[in-house]
Amino acid sequence: MTIMERIREKARRSLKRIVLPEGDEARTVRAAAICAAEGLAEPILLGEEDKIRAAAEKTGTDLTGLRMINPAQSPRLEAYADLLYELRRAKGLSREEAGRLAADPMYYGMLTVKTGDADGLVSGAVHTTGDMLRPALQIIKTKPGIHIVSSSFLMSCRNPDLGENGLLVYADCVVVPCPTAEELAEIAVSAAETARVLCGIEEPRVALLSFSTKGSARHELVDKVRRATEIAHGLAPELILDGEMQFDAALVPEVGALKAPGSPVAGRANVLIFPDLQSGNIGYKITQRIGGAECFAVLQGLASPCNDLSRGCSVEDIVNTVALTAVQAGA
Ligand code: ACO
């Protein structure tokens, strides 16, 4: 069974309500119908009904049984606007502006999740990552005990000897451009949690990556990764975690044994923490494009799950992301 087959099966066990703010977008409408038909989630399409119906017609999609909400005409709009005003007034948001924003499907969707009227949100077929992330950070905010939202990529590699039967978790590849040592430590703890929840990895072995292994090079960037490793140990003493180490020392048993003898992680890591967004983002794309790995992305650290799509996504990508979001919501 592939990782996505397992995730879809898990999603089916607890039907979660997943709100789709881009409800009048053709691929999204099609994906919503598939999710409902396959019992992966209960999708909620946001948008004007006429536009949703037109998008459905374009793709030959049957909307029977699908929930649709037009934010601008919703009876919940005023309550949502009040909530948004309460959440953001200290940041200078006026009640009038809150009313206008709450009618925007992206904000309305976030407020649906915030109030518990939905369990999670998927967006990004139209909006950029930043357009989706900013309201998520402002409204949904972080989980208790977590201060930084980041991302994990589930990398399903062709070589079953890598990581956990070919599965690796990479973080952070989307959100935090230049993490501090404290933020890097939290990203490591969150990625281990993602590995448990989504990949069923019972023993995450987390490597904090660098261009140095255990002091082989001296640089302030190396010091940061070493400090992050210490902080992460303090945050999650039970977690099997080590750093700083190079990519090959983390993954290849012979190299790990040579460069980091006695490390509980070296040579057998299944969760890889990149030192910044440039290395993480480039790293996942190399693994995908040259290594031929399949990859699935999620955000982590939010109080309720919201996930981003690539604007070039396929219908299947949206279905998969809805399933991932549903599993996160059930965790
Ligand atoms: N975790 C938690 N809170 C955060 C985070 C974070 N990672 N980042 C910002 N915040 C908070 C801020 O403290 C602020 O809170 P406040 O308004 O209550 O004070 C709020 O979120 C908004 O922060 P801003 O600084 O105004 O937002 P910013 O303009 O920095 O945008 C964003 C944040 C969107 C996450 C930015 O860091 C970003 O653009 N990251 C890169 C996204 C990207 O383009 N990724 C690569 C492409 S995706 C791909 O390749 C698959």
Side-chain angles (χ1 to χ4, degrees):
M1 217 188 230
T2 66
I3 175 70
M4 191 42 68
E5 284 165 350
R6 273 183 282 156
I7 281 163
R8 287 187 179 206
E9 195 171 281
K10 239 180 182 176
R12 273 185 206 103
R13 277 187 233 135
S14 60
L15 198 65
K16 295 292 176 192
R17 299 156 303 165
I18 305 298
V19 66
L20 302 165
E22 296 161 338
D24 57 8
E25 192 277 328
R27 289 163 297 172
T28 305
V29 175
R30 181 98 200 111
I34 293 170
C35 288
E38 295 192 5
L40 297 171
E42 188 189 314
I44 305 168
L45 292 165
L46 300 186
E48 292 172 29
E49 199 173 319
D50 288 356
K51 289 190 182 162
I52 298 174
R53 291 202 179 282
E57 211 165 296
K58 224 196 281 180
T59 54
T61 302
D62 181 4
L63 290 174
T64 311
L66 280 182
R67 269 180 78 190
M68 290 178 261
I69 298 174
N70 181 351
Q73 289 173 1
S74 160
R76 303 283 285 143
L77 182 59
E78 283 308 302
Y80 282 5
D82 285 342
L83 173 60
L84 182 58
Y85 176 56
E86 281 312 312
L87 289 169
R88 300 300 296 172
R89 62 193 287 189
K91 296 282 170 182
L93 186 76
S94 68
R95 177 58 181 79
E96 195 186 351
E97 181 68 357
R100 197 186 61 75
L101 279 178
D104 176 282
M106 185 66 77
Y107 276 82
Y108 188 95
M110 295 293 172
L111 290 158
T112 309
V113 175
K114 182 73 174 179
T115 51
D117 290 338
D119 303 301
L121 176 147
V122 172
S123 160
V126 180
H127 292 79
T128 64
T129 302
D131 287 343
M132 181 268 176
L133 263 173
R134 231 166 266 115
L137 296 171
Q138 292 171 353
I139 295 169
I140 308 289
K141 301 185 188 281
T142 51
K143 278 183 186 169
I146 294 285
H147 306 91
I148 191 88
V149 172
S150 59
S151 70
S152 271
F153 273 67
L154 318 184
M155 308 298 300
S156 180
C157 305
R158 289 177 177 179
N159 180 353
D161 295 335
L162 292 172
E164 195 79 7
N165 303 316
L167 201 60
L168 290 165
V169 174
Y170 283 14
D172 167 34
C173 309
V174 176
V175 185
V176 191
C178 289
T180 61
E182 288 74 16
E183 289 170 345
L184 207 48
E186 273 203 9
I187 291 170
V189 173
S190 291
E193 175 68 8
T194 296
R196 280 198 197 95
V197 168
L198 291 180
C199 305
I201 295 178
E202 282 171 22
E203 184 188 83
R205 295 180 295 277
V206 184
L208 282 93
L209 300 179
S210 173
F211 57 83
S212 163
T213 302
K214 298 287 179 181
S216 64
R218 284 165 179 261
H219 193 277
E220 62 195 57
L221 292 174
V222 176
D223 295 340
K224 182 167 94 172
V225 177
R226 200 171 303 146
R227 215 164 50 249
T229 308
E230 282 167 22
I231 297 167
H233 271 307
L235 291 175
E238 75 297 343
L239 195 59
I240 303 176
L241 174 145
D242 203 4
E244 91 290 355
M245 68 179 73
Q246 288 158 287
F247 191 85
D248 56 351
L251 282 189
V252 184
E254 303 77 52
V255 182
L258 189 75
K259 292 190 171 180
S263 165
V265 172
R268 52 199 295 267
N270 48 26
V271 178
L272 301 180
I273 308 304
F274 289 82
D276 64 15
L277 189 53
Q278 304 219 45
S279 55
N281 192 272
I282 294 166
Y284 104 75
K285 285 178 195 279
I286 290 175
T287 312
Q288 178 188 36
R289 299 289 171 179
I290 298 182
E294 250 198 302
C295 62
F296 308 101
V298 289
L299 294 176
Q300 57 194 14
L302 284 165
S304 302
C306 298
N307 282 310
D308 184 38
L309 300 160
S310 151
R311 276 170 292 166
C313 65
S314 65
V315 170
E316 194 185 355
D317 293 332
I318 304 175
V319 173
N320 287 340
T321 305
V322 168
L324 285 161
T325 309
V327 174
Q328 284 181 306

